[in-house]
Amino acid sequence: SGAYYGHEMKQATRDGRITEVPYDRTRGVVTAFDLGLSDSTAIWFAQFMPNGHIHLIDYYENSGVGLDHYAQVLQEKGYVYEQHVLPHDVQVKELGTGKSRLETLDNLGVRPIEIAPKLRVDDGIQAVRSMLDRCWFDEKKCDHGIEMLRQYQRDFDEKMKTWRGRPRHDFTSHGADAFRYLA
């Protein structure tokens, strides 16, 4: 109840689109990040197929580690990357170093980077809803991310007896936001 993508994820399960989805070595991988500072960083790994399907082949989430950790994870996965999509705040300069996270990632060899447009959250949620019926998820490598999409929700306002207009910021936000940037 109140889940943004509940219907779409239920349909993906019914359609058998949550299954084994192997990495296609003939296609590049696009990653989409949600960068956390004091909370989690989430990364989706997707392949856009010629038939219009989107294969979600992997998901990674962690917290309390630096950008060098994520660069190492990307390298260890062994995928050939086509593009890394990051949120607009990747350009913000850090007070301690005077460098942006974009510069740091570039220095760590994470490239090419595409900065996701700064859209209203509602527009991003609608983009995800429009995209989900073309998505195939690897049930093992994406299990945590799938659960984040299933549980991403808004709060119910008991006083007004209605759903609030903004998503709840909780443990599901990072995976859902990274997916929104992908969309």
PDB file of all heavy atoms in Angstrom, residues 21-57:
ATOM      1  N   VAL A  21      19.154 -13.298 -15.887  1.00  0.00           N
ATOM      2  CA  VAL A  21      19.433 -12.377 -16.993  1.00  0.00           C
ATOM      3  C   VAL A  21      20.948 -12.255 -17.111  1.00  0.00           C
ATOM      4  O   VAL A  21      21.576 -11.481 -16.389  1.00  0.00           O
ATOM      5  CB  VAL A  21      18.786 -10.991 -16.760  1.00  0.00           C
ATOM      6  CG1 VAL A  21      19.057 -10.071 -17.950  1.00  0.00           C
ATOM      7  CG2 VAL A  21      17.289 -11.121 -16.517  1.00  0.00           C
ATOM      8  N   PRO A  22      21.547 -13.032 -17.998  1.00  0.00           N
ATOM      9  CA  PRO A  22      23.012 -13.028 -18.098  1.00  0.00           C
ATOM     10  C   PRO A  22      23.546 -11.762 -18.754  1.00  0.00           C
ATOM     11  O   PRO A  22      22.854 -11.090 -19.524  1.00  0.00           O
ATOM     12  CB  PRO A  22      23.314 -14.263 -18.946  1.00  0.00           C
ATOM     13  CG  PRO A  22      22.073 -14.497 -19.743  1.00  0.00           C
ATOM     14  CD  PRO A  22      20.921 -13.986 -18.905  1.00  0.00           C
ATOM     15  N   TYR A  23      24.794 -11.466 -18.444  1.00  0.00           N
ATOM     16  CA  TYR A  23      25.526 -10.365 -19.064  1.00  0.00           C
ATOM     17  C   TYR A  23      25.777 -10.716 -20.531  1.00  0.00           C
ATOM     18  O   TYR A  23      26.307 -11.786 -20.837  1.00  0.00           O
ATOM     19  CB  TYR A  23      26.838 -10.171 -18.301  1.00  0.00           C
ATOM     20  CG  TYR A  23      27.851  -9.253 -18.943  1.00  0.00           C
ATOM     21  CD1 TYR A  23      27.508  -8.008 -19.438  1.00  0.00           C
ATOM     22  CD2 TYR A  23      29.196  -9.636 -19.022  1.00  0.00           C
ATOM     23  CE1 TYR A  23      28.449  -7.160 -19.998  1.00  0.00           C
ATOM     24  CE2 TYR A  23      30.153  -8.795 -19.570  1.00  0.00           C
ATOM     25  CZ  TYR A  23      29.771  -7.566 -20.069  1.00  0.00           C
ATOM     26  OH  TYR A  23      30.716  -6.734 -20.622  1.00  0.00           O
ATOM     27  N   ASP A  24      25.401  -9.839 -21.425  1.00  0.00           N
ATOM     28  CA  ASP A  24      25.641 -10.013 -22.857  1.00  0.00           C
ATOM     29  C   ASP A  24      26.954  -9.301 -23.195  1.00  0.00           C
ATOM     30  O   ASP A  24      27.008  -8.071 -23.217  1.00  0.00           O
ATOM     31  CB  ASP A  24      24.479  -9.422 -23.651  1.00  0.00           C
ATOM     32  CG  ASP A  24      24.620  -9.582 -25.159  1.00  0.00           C
ATOM     33  OD1 ASP A  24      25.746  -9.862 -25.641  1.00  0.00           O
ATOM     34  OD2 ASP A  24      23.614  -9.412 -25.856  1.00  0.00           O
ATOM     35  N   ARG A  25      27.996 -10.057 -23.442  1.00  0.00           N
ATOM     36  CA  ARG A  25      29.331  -9.503 -23.687  1.00  0.00           C
ATOM     37  C   ARG A  25      29.417  -8.696 -24.981  1.00  0.00           C
ATOM     38  O   ARG A  25      30.397  -7.997 -25.203  1.00  0.00           O
ATOM     39  CB  ARG A  25      30.370 -10.613 -23.684  1.00  0.00           C
ATOM     40  CG  ARG A  25      30.503 -11.274 -22.329  1.00  0.00           C
ATOM     41  CD  ARG A  25      31.663 -12.255 -22.272  1.00  0.00           C
ATOM     42  NE  ARG A  25      31.716 -12.943 -21.003  1.00  0.00           N
ATOM     43  CZ  ARG A  25      32.158 -12.408 -19.863  1.00  0.00           C
ATOM     44  NH1 ARG A  25      32.566 -11.166 -19.844  1.00  0.00           N
ATOM     45  NH2 ARG A  25      32.172 -13.114 -18.759  1.00  0.00           N
ATOM     46  N   THR A  26      28.392  -8.755 -25.821  1.00  0.00           N
ATOM     47  CA  THR A  26      28.403  -7.981 -27.065  1.00  0.00           C
ATOM     48  C   THR A  26      27.805  -6.591 -26.890  1.00  0.00           C
ATOM     49  O   THR A  26      27.817  -5.803 -27.829  1.00  0.00           O
ATOM     50  CB  THR A  26      27.636  -8.717 -28.183  1.00  0.00           C
ATOM     51  OG1 THR A  26      26.240  -8.763 -27.863  1.00  0.00           O
ATOM     52  CG2 THR A  26      28.179 -10.128 -28.383  1.00  0.00           C
ATOM     53  N   ARG A  27      27.290  -6.299 -25.690  1.00  0.00           N
ATOM     54  CA  ARG A  27      26.641  -5.014 -25.432  1.00  0.00           C
ATOM     55  C   ARG A  27      27.305  -4.326 -24.248  1.00  0.00           C
ATOM     56  O   ARG A  27      27.728  -4.974 -23.294  1.00  0.00           O
ATOM     57  CB  ARG A  27      25.156  -5.218 -25.120  1.00  0.00           C
ATOM     58  CG  ARG A  27      24.491  -6.103 -26.123  1.00  0.00           C
ATOM     59  CD  ARG A  27      23.242  -5.634 -26.758  1.00  0.00           C
ATOM     60  NE  ARG A  27      22.953  -4.256 -26.827  1.00  0.00           N
ATOM     61  CZ  ARG A  27      22.959  -3.542 -27.965  1.00  0.00           C
ATOM     62  NH1 ARG A  27      23.333  -4.097 -29.083  1.00  0.00           N
ATOM     63  NH2 ARG A  27      22.589  -2.297 -27.971  1.00  0.00           N
ATOM     64  N   GLY A  28      27.362  -3.007 -24.321  1.00  0.00           N
ATOM     65  CA  GLY A  28      27.908  -2.227 -23.219  1.00  0.00           C
ATOM     66  C   GLY A  28      26.949  -2.162 -22.045  1.00  0.00           C
ATOM     67  O   GLY A  28      25.746  -2.381 -22.185  1.00  0.00           O
ATOM     68  N   VAL A  29      27.501  -1.853 -20.890  1.00  0.00           N
ATOM     69  CA  VAL A  29      26.714  -1.737 -19.662  1.00  0.00           C
ATOM     70  C   VAL A  29      26.611  -0.268 -19.278  1.00  0.00           C
ATOM     71  O   VAL A  29      27.604   0.467 -19.322  1.00  0.00           O
ATOM     72  CB  VAL A  29      27.363  -2.543 -18.510  1.00  0.00           C
ATOM     73  CG1 VAL A  29      26.662  -2.282 -17.182  1.00  0.00           C
ATOM     74  CG2 VAL A  29      27.357  -4.031 -18.841  1.00  0.00           C
ATOM     75  N   VAL A  30      25.422   0.149 -18.911  1.00  0.00           N
ATOM     76  CA  VAL A  30      25.175   1.487 -18.396  1.00  0.00           C
ATOM     77  C   VAL A  30      24.932   1.339 -16.902  1.00  0.00           C
ATOM     78  O   VAL A  30      24.123   0.513 -16.486  1.00  0.00           O
ATOM     79  CB  VAL A  30      23.940   2.129 -19.078  1.00  0.00           C
ATOM     80  CG1 VAL A  30      23.603   3.472 -18.442  1.00  0.00           C
ATOM     81  CG2 VAL A  30      24.176   2.282 -20.573  1.00  0.00           C
ATOM     82  N   THR A  31      25.646   2.126 -16.113  1.00  0.00           N
ATOM     83  CA  THR A  31      25.374   2.135 -14.675  1.00  0.00           C
ATOM     84  C   THR A  31      24.614   3.407 -14.333  1.00  0.00           C
ATOM     85  O   THR A  31      24.748   4.424 -15.018  1.00  0.00           O
ATOM     86  CB  THR A  31      26.669   2.094 -13.833  1.00  0.00           C
ATOM     87  OG1 THR A  31      27.405   3.300 -14.034  1.00  0.00           O
ATOM     88  CG2 THR A  31      27.511   0.878 -14.164  1.00  0.00           C
ATOM     89  N   ALA A  32      23.835   3.330 -13.285  1.00  0.00           N
ATOM     90  CA  ALA A  32      23.145   4.509 -12.752  1.00  0.00           C
ATOM     91  C   ALA A  32      23.349   4.500 -11.246  1.00  0.00           C
ATOM     92  O   ALA A  32      23.065   3.510 -10.577  1.00  0.00           O
ATOM     93  CB  ALA A  32      21.659   4.482 -13.101  1.00  0.00           C
ATOM     94  N   PHE A  33      23.870   5.606 -10.733  1.00  0.00           N
ATOM     95  CA  PHE A  33      24.246   5.745  -9.333  1.00  0.00           C
ATOM     96  C   PHE A  33      23.294   6.677  -8.593  1.00  0.00           C
ATOM     97  O   PHE A  33      22.827   7.668  -9.163  1.00  0.00           O
ATOM     98  CB  PHE A  33      25.609   6.449  -9.214  1.00  0.00           C
ATOM     99  CG  PHE A  33      26.816   5.660  -9.555  1.00  0.00           C
ATOM    100  CD1 PHE A  33      27.073   5.225 -10.853  1.00  0.00           C
ATOM    101  CD2 PHE A  33      27.768   5.390  -8.578  1.00  0.00           C
ATOM    102  CE1 PHE A  33      28.241   4.552 -11.163  1.00  0.00           C
ATOM    103  CE2 PHE A  33      28.928   4.709  -8.884  1.00  0.00           C
ATOM    104  CZ  PHE A  33      29.171   4.284 -10.174  1.00  0.00           C
ATOM    105  N   ASP A  34      23.097   6.394  -7.328  1.00  0.00           N
ATOM    106  CA  ASP A  34      22.642   7.391  -6.370  1.00  0.00           C
ATOM    107  C   ASP A  34      23.760   7.475  -5.345  1.00  0.00           C
ATOM    108  O   ASP A  34      24.087   6.476  -4.706  1.00  0.00           O
ATOM    109  CB  ASP A  34      21.327   7.008  -5.685  1.00  0.00           C
ATOM    110  CG  ASP A  34      20.892   8.074  -4.686  1.00  0.00           C
ATOM    111  OD1 ASP A  34      20.809   9.255  -5.067  1.00  0.00           O
ATOM    112  OD2 ASP A  34      20.670   7.719  -3.519  1.00  0.00           O
ATOM    113  N   LEU A  35      24.392   8.641  -5.258  1.00  0.00           N
ATOM    114  CA  LEU A  35      25.536   8.816  -4.366  1.00  0.00           C
ATOM    115  C   LEU A  35      25.071   9.227  -2.982  1.00  0.00           C
ATOM    116  O   LEU A  35      24.392  10.231  -2.822  1.00  0.00           O
ATOM    117  CB  LEU A  35      26.486   9.887  -4.912  1.00  0.00           C
ATOM    118  CG  LEU A  35      27.181   9.555  -6.223  1.00  0.00           C
ATOM    119  CD1 LEU A  35      27.944  10.779  -6.722  1.00  0.00           C
ATOM    120  CD2 LEU A  35      28.113   8.370  -6.062  1.00  0.00           C
ATOM    121  N   GLY A  36      25.469   8.459  -1.993  1.00  0.00           N
ATOM    122  CA  GLY A  36      25.173   8.807  -0.612  1.00  0.00           C
ATOM    123  C   GLY A  36      26.401   9.394   0.046  1.00  0.00           C
ATOM    124  O   GLY A  36      27.524   9.005  -0.262  1.00  0.00           O
ATOM    125  N   LEU A  37      26.201  10.331   0.915  1.00  0.00           N
ATOM    126  CA  LEU A  37      27.308  10.875   1.690  1.00  0.00           C
ATOM    127  C   LEU A  37      27.352  10.189   3.040  1.00  0.00           C
ATOM    128  O   LEU A  37      28.274   9.459   3.348  1.00  0.00           O
ATOM    129  CB  LEU A  37      27.166  12.386   1.841  1.00  0.00           C
ATOM    130  CG  LEU A  37      27.365  13.195   0.558  1.00  0.00           C
ATOM    131  CD1 LEU A  37      27.083  14.662   0.797  1.00  0.00           C
ATOM    132  CD2 LEU A  37      28.771  12.990   0.035  1.00  0.00           C
ATOM    133  N   SER A  38      26.329  10.405   3.832  1.00  0.00           N
ATOM    134  CA  SER A  38      26.276   9.754   5.139  1.00  0.00           C
ATOM    135  C   SER A  38      25.379   8.526   5.100  1.00  0.00           C
ATOM    136  O   SER A  38      25.174   7.874   6.114  1.00  0.00           O
ATOM    137  CB  SER A  38      25.776  10.742   6.186  1.00  0.00           C
ATOM    138  OG  SER A  38      24.491  11.197   5.824  1.00  0.00           O
ATOM    139  N   ASP A  39      24.822   8.217   3.929  1.00  0.00           N
ATOM    140  CA  ASP A  39      23.985   7.035   3.795  1.00  0.00           C
ATOM    141  C   ASP A  39      24.433   6.222   2.583  1.00  0.00           C
ATOM    142  O   ASP A  39      25.530   6.406   2.093  1.00  0.00           O
ATOM    143  CB  ASP A  39      22.503   7.410   3.741  1.00  0.00           C
ATOM    144  CG  ASP A  39      22.190   8.522   2.756  1.00  0.00           C
ATOM    145  OD1 ASP A  39      23.061   8.847   1.930  1.00  0.00           O
ATOM    146  OD2 ASP A  39      21.082   9.059   2.800  1.00  0.00           O
ATOM    147  N   SER A  40      23.609   5.364   2.083  1.00  0.00           N
ATOM    148  CA  SER A  40      24.010   4.400   1.061  1.00  0.00           C
ATOM    149  C   SER A  40      24.213   5.009  -0.317  1.00  0.00           C
ATOM    150  O   SER A  40      23.543   5.960  -0.698  1.00  0.00           O
ATOM    151  CB  SER A  40      22.967   3.285   0.957  1.00  0.00           C
ATOM    152  OG  SER A  40      22.941   2.530   2.133  1.00  0.00           O
ATOM    153  N   THR A  41      25.128   4.383  -1.058  1.00  0.00           N
ATOM    154  CA  THR A  41      25.291   4.607  -2.492  1.00  0.00           C
ATOM    155  C   THR A  41      24.767   3.360  -3.176  1.00  0.00           C
ATOM    156  O   THR A  41      25.079   2.239  -2.766  1.00  0.00           O
ATOM    157  CB  THR A  41      26.766   4.843  -2.856  1.00  0.00           C
ATOM    158  OG1 THR A  41      27.164   6.120  -2.338  1.00  0.00           O
ATOM    159  CG2 THR A  41      26.992   4.828  -4.356  1.00  0.00           C
ATOM    160  N   ALA A  42      23.943   3.550  -4.196  1.00  0.00           N
ATOM    161  CA  ALA A  42      23.354   2.433  -4.930  1.00  0.00           C
ATOM    162  C   ALA A  42      23.750   2.533  -6.393  1.00  0.00           C
ATOM    163  O   ALA A  42      23.837   3.637  -6.943  1.00  0.00           O
ATOM    164  CB  ALA A  42      21.835   2.455  -4.795  1.00  0.00           C
ATOM    165  N   ILE A  43      23.969   1.380  -7.023  1.00  0.00           N
ATOM    166  CA  ILE A  43      24.337   1.331  -8.440  1.00  0.00           C
ATOM    167  C   ILE A  43      23.532   0.229  -9.127  1.00  0.00           C
ATOM    168  O   ILE A  43      23.558  -0.929  -8.704  1.00  0.00           O
ATOM    169  CB  ILE A  43      25.836   1.028  -8.645  1.00  0.00           C
ATOM    170  CG1 ILE A  43      26.716   1.961  -7.812  1.00  0.00           C
ATOM    171  CG2 ILE A  43      26.197   1.110 -10.135  1.00  0.00           C
ATOM    172  CD1 ILE A  43      28.195   1.546  -7.778  1.00  0.00           C
ATOM    173  N   TRP A  44      22.825   0.588 -10.194  1.00  0.00           N
ATOM    174  CA  TRP A  44      22.173  -0.373 -11.081  1.00  0.00           C
ATOM    175  C   TRP A  44      23.070  -0.576 -12.299  1.00  0.00           C
ATOM    176  O   TRP A  44      23.680   0.374 -12.790  1.00  0.00           O
ATOM    177  CB  TRP A  44      20.817   0.146 -11.547  1.00  0.00           C
ATOM    178  CG  TRP A  44      19.729   0.010 -10.535  1.00  0.00           C
ATOM    179  CD1 TRP A  44      19.272   0.973  -9.680  1.00  0.00           C
ATOM    180  CD2 TRP A  44      18.965  -1.161 -10.261  1.00  0.00           C
ATOM    181  NE1 TRP A  44      18.267   0.463  -8.892  1.00  0.00           N
ATOM    182  CE2 TRP A  44      18.054  -0.841  -9.225  1.00  0.00           C
ATOM    183  CE3 TRP A  44      18.957  -2.454 -10.786  1.00  0.00           C
ATOM    184  CZ2 TRP A  44      17.143  -1.763  -8.724  1.00  0.00           C
ATOM    185  CZ3 TRP A  44      18.046  -3.378 -10.285  1.00  0.00           C
ATOM    186  CH2 TRP A  44      17.159  -3.021  -9.267  1.00  0.00           C
ATOM    187  N   PHE A  45      23.112  -1.795 -12.812  1.00  0.00           N
ATOM    188  CA  PHE A  45      23.887  -2.152 -14.002  1.00  0.00           C
ATOM    189  C   PHE A  45      22.894  -2.640 -15.056  1.00  0.00           C
ATOM    190  O   PHE A  45      22.209  -3.649 -14.842  1.00  0.00           O
ATOM    191  CB  PHE A  45      24.874  -3.276 -13.679  1.00  0.00           C
ATOM    192  CG  PHE A  45      25.914  -2.912 -12.645  1.00  0.00           C
ATOM    193  CD1 PHE A  45      25.597  -2.885 -11.294  1.00  0.00           C
ATOM    194  CD2 PHE A  45      27.213  -2.597 -13.033  1.00  0.00           C
ATOM    195  CE1 PHE A  45      26.551  -2.557 -10.335  1.00  0.00           C
ATOM    196  CE2 PHE A  45      28.179  -2.271 -12.076  1.00  0.00           C
ATOM    197  CZ  PHE A  45      27.845  -2.247 -10.733  1.00  0.00           C
ATOM    198  N   ALA A  46      22.801  -1.921 -16.173  1.00  0.00           N
ATOM    199  CA  ALA A  46      21.779  -2.207 -17.176  1.00  0.00           C
ATOM    200  C   ALA A  46      22.396  -2.356 -18.561  1.00  0.00           C
ATOM    201  O   ALA A  46      23.425  -1.754 -18.869  1.00  0.00           O
ATOM    202  CB  ALA A  46      20.750  -1.078 -17.211  1.00  0.00           C
ATOM    203  N   GLN A  47      21.720  -3.167 -19.364  1.00  0.00           N
ATOM    204  CA  GLN A  47      22.059  -3.274 -20.781  1.00  0.00           C
ATOM    205  C   GLN A  47      20.789  -2.986 -21.579  1.00  0.00           C
ATOM    206  O   GLN A  47      19.742  -3.588 -21.336  1.00  0.00           O
ATOM    207  CB  GLN A  47      22.596  -4.669 -21.111  1.00  0.00           C
ATOM    208  CG  GLN A  47      23.956  -4.920 -20.490  1.00  0.00           C
ATOM    209  CD  GLN A  47      24.566  -6.217 -20.970  1.00  0.00           C
ATOM    210  OE1 GLN A  47      24.060  -7.293 -20.658  1.00  0.00           O
ATOM    211  NE2 GLN A  47      25.650  -6.115 -21.728  1.00  0.00           N
ATOM    212  N   PHE A  48      20.900  -2.043 -22.506  1.00  0.00           N
ATOM    213  CA  PHE A  48      19.785  -1.672 -23.364  1.00  0.00           C
ATOM    214  C   PHE A  48      19.878  -2.504 -24.632  1.00  0.00           C
ATOM    215  O   PHE A  48      20.846  -2.406 -25.377  1.00  0.00           O
ATOM    216  CB  PHE A  48      19.830  -0.167 -23.658  1.00  0.00           C
ATOM    217  CG  PHE A  48      19.492   0.655 -22.447  1.00  0.00           C
ATOM    218  CD1 PHE A  48      20.443   0.901 -21.459  1.00  0.00           C
ATOM    219  CD2 PHE A  48      18.215   1.158 -22.272  1.00  0.00           C
ATOM    220  CE1 PHE A  48      20.137   1.645 -20.327  1.00  0.00           C
ATOM    221  CE2 PHE A  48      17.889   1.905 -21.140  1.00  0.00           C
ATOM    222  CZ  PHE A  48      18.851   2.145 -20.168  1.00  0.00           C
ATOM    223  N   MET A  49      18.882  -3.338 -24.849  1.00  0.00           N
ATOM    224  CA  MET A  49      18.910  -4.314 -25.918  1.00  0.00           C
ATOM    225  C   MET A  49      18.257  -3.771 -27.189  1.00  0.00           C
ATOM    226  O   MET A  49      17.400  -2.886 -27.128  1.00  0.00           O
ATOM    227  CB  MET A  49      18.199  -5.596 -25.462  1.00  0.00           C
ATOM    228  CG  MET A  49      18.712  -6.138 -24.116  1.00  0.00           C
ATOM    229  SD  MET A  49      20.514  -6.307 -24.009  1.00  0.00           S
ATOM    230  CE  MET A  49      20.727  -7.783 -24.980  1.00  0.00           C
ATOM    231  N   PRO A  50      18.643  -4.310 -28.355  1.00  0.00           N
ATOM    232  CA  PRO A  50      18.101  -3.818 -29.631  1.00  0.00           C
ATOM    233  C   PRO A  50      16.580  -3.961 -29.745  1.00  0.00           C
ATOM    234  O   PRO A  50      15.947  -3.188 -30.451  1.00  0.00           O
ATOM    235  CB  PRO A  50      18.793  -4.681 -30.691  1.00  0.00           C
ATOM    236  CG  PRO A  50      19.913  -5.366 -30.007  1.00  0.00           C
ATOM    237  CD  PRO A  50      19.647  -5.358 -28.543  1.00  0.00           C
ATOM    238  N   ASN A  51      15.988  -4.927 -29.051  1.00  0.00           N
ATOM    239  CA  ASN A  51      14.542  -5.145 -29.133  1.00  0.00           C
ATOM    240  C   ASN A  51      13.746  -4.207 -28.218  1.00  0.00           C
ATOM    241  O   ASN A  51      12.540  -4.350 -28.076  1.00  0.00           O
ATOM    242  CB  ASN A  51      14.207  -6.603 -28.808  1.00  0.00           C
ATOM    243  CG  ASN A  51      14.624  -7.010 -27.401  1.00  0.00           C
ATOM    244  OD1 ASN A  51      15.123  -6.200 -26.616  1.00  0.00           O
ATOM    245  ND2 ASN A  51      14.428  -8.285 -27.080  1.00  0.00           N
ATOM    246  N   GLY A  52      14.442  -3.271 -27.550  1.00  0.00           N
ATOM    247  CA  GLY A  52      13.771  -2.326 -26.659  1.00  0.00           C
ATOM    248  C   GLY A  52      13.729  -2.770 -25.210  1.00  0.00           C
ATOM    249  O   GLY A  52      13.345  -1.995 -24.340  1.00  0.00           O
ATOM    250  N   HIS A  53      14.107  -4.019 -24.944  1.00  0.00           N
ATOM    251  CA  HIS A  53      14.145  -4.490 -23.559  1.00  0.00           C
ATOM    252  C   HIS A  53      15.337  -3.886 -22.834  1.00  0.00           C
ATOM    253  O   HIS A  53      16.353  -3.548 -23.448  1.00  0.00           O
ATOM    254  CB  HIS A  53      14.257  -6.018 -23.501  1.00  0.00           C
ATOM    255  CG  HIS A  53      13.033  -6.724 -23.974  1.00  0.00           C
ATOM    256  ND1 HIS A  53      12.977  -8.084 -24.127  1.00  0.00           N
ATOM    257  CD2 HIS A  53      11.801  -6.272 -24.336  1.00  0.00           C
ATOM    258  CE1 HIS A  53      11.786  -8.434 -24.544  1.00  0.00           C
ATOM    259  NE2 HIS A  53      11.056  -7.354 -24.694  1.00  0.00           N
ATOM    260  N   ILE A  54      15.199  -3.776 -21.531  1.00  0.00           N
ATOM    261  CA  ILE A  54      16.281  -3.286 -20.679  1.00  0.00           C
ATOM    262  C   ILE A  54      16.602  -4.405 -19.706  1.00  0.00           C
ATOM    263  O   ILE A  54      15.720  -4.847 -18.947  1.00  0.00           O
ATOM    264  CB  ILE A  54      15.869  -1.997 -19.936  1.00  0.00           C
ATOM    265  CG1 ILE A  54      15.463  -0.925 -20.947  1.00  0.00           C
ATOM    266  CG2 ILE A  54      17.005  -1.517 -19.032  1.00  0.00           C
ATOM    267  CD1 ILE A  54      14.633   0.183 -20.381  1.00  0.00           C
ATOM    268  N   HIS A  55      17.825  -4.880 -19.758  1.00  0.00           N
ATOM    269  CA  HIS A  55      18.255  -5.976 -18.889  1.00  0.00           C
ATOM    270  C   HIS A  55      18.989  -5.396 -17.694  1.00  0.00           C
ATOM    271  O   HIS A  55      20.038  -4.768 -17.859  1.00  0.00           O
ATOM    272  CB  HIS A  55      19.165  -6.943 -19.647  1.00  0.00           C
ATOM    273  CG  HIS A  55      18.440  -7.752 -20.672  1.00  0.00           C
ATOM    274  ND1 HIS A  55      19.072  -8.714 -21.417  1.00  0.00           N
ATOM    275  CD2 HIS A  55      17.136  -7.757 -21.066  1.00  0.00           C
ATOM    276  CE1 HIS A  55      18.189  -9.275 -22.230  1.00  0.00           C
ATOM    277  NE2 HIS A  55      17.015  -8.702 -22.037  1.00  0.00           N
ATOM    278  N   LEU A  56      18.436  -5.599 -16.508  1.00  0.00           N
ATOM    279  CA  LEU A  56      19.081  -5.205 -15.263  1.00  0.00           C
ATOM    280  C   LEU A  56      19.870  -6.413 -14.799  1.00  0.00           C
ATOM    281  O   LEU A  56      19.305  -7.384 -14.299  1.00  0.00           O
ATOM    282  CB  LEU A  56      18.054  -4.758 -14.221  1.00  0.00           C
ATOM    283  CG  LEU A  56      17.406  -3.390 -14.463  1.00  0.00           C
ATOM    284  CD1 LEU A  56      18.414  -2.284 -14.618  1.00  0.00           C
ATOM    285  CD2 LEU A  56      16.390  -3.378 -15.546  1.00  0.00           C
ATOM    286  N   ILE A  57      21.187  -6.360 -15.011  1.00  0.00           N
ATOM    287  CA  ILE A  57      22.017  -7.543 -14.805  1.00  0.00           C
ATOM    288  C   ILE A  57      22.687  -7.581 -13.442  1.00  0.00           C
ATOM    289  O   ILE A  57      23.211  -8.621 -13.046  1.00  0.00           O
ATOM    290  CB  ILE A  57      23.089  -7.673 -15.914  1.00  0.00           C
ATOM    291  CG1 ILE A  57      24.011  -6.457 -15.934  1.00  0.00           C
ATOM    292  CG2 ILE A  57      22.412  -7.899 -17.273  1.00  0.00           C
ATOM    293  CD1 ILE A  57      25.255  -6.631 -16.783  1.00  0.00           C
TER     294      ILE A  57
END
